[in-house]
Amino acid sequence: MEILRKKQPVQWGIATADGFEATTLVKVAFRKTEARIKGTRNGDSIRGTVELPMGLVTFEGTRD
């Protein structure tokens, strides 16, 4: 997973028919903190949110 332009390993994750959730550790301001990812899949597209200490960020993507 790539967050804040850095590749991060997924610490925990689960995918269901309704969507997916995962956590990873990211370095923010000289310390590591948890990022919580939640999203849904529709065909070849995904969309969701990443919760970071500085706020909520949305994302979306499409399979090539």
Side-chain angles (χ1 to χ4, degrees):
M1 164 172 303
E2 189 173 323
I3 297 178
L4 301 172
R5 298 184 186 160
K6 295 182 182 177
K7 291 184 180 183
Q8 307 292 339
V10 172
Q11 302 296 314
W12 173 87
I14 187 167
T16 67
D18 295 327
F20 57 91
E21 294 183 40
T23 60
T24 188
L25 294 176
V26 294
K27 190 173 182 181
V28 178
F30 304 107
R31 66 182 177 99
K32 287 200 173 192
T33 188
E34 186 175 81
R36 295 181 182 174
I37 301 98
K38 293 183 181 181
T40 57
R41 180 187 64 84
N42 185 4
D44 287 339
S45 299
I46 62 170
R47 67 177 353 152
T49 59
V50 179
E51 184 181 343
L52 296 162
M54 61 205 89
L56 202 62
V57 178
T58 60
F59 69 87
E60 58 184 60
T62 304
R63 184 186 341 209
D64 290 334

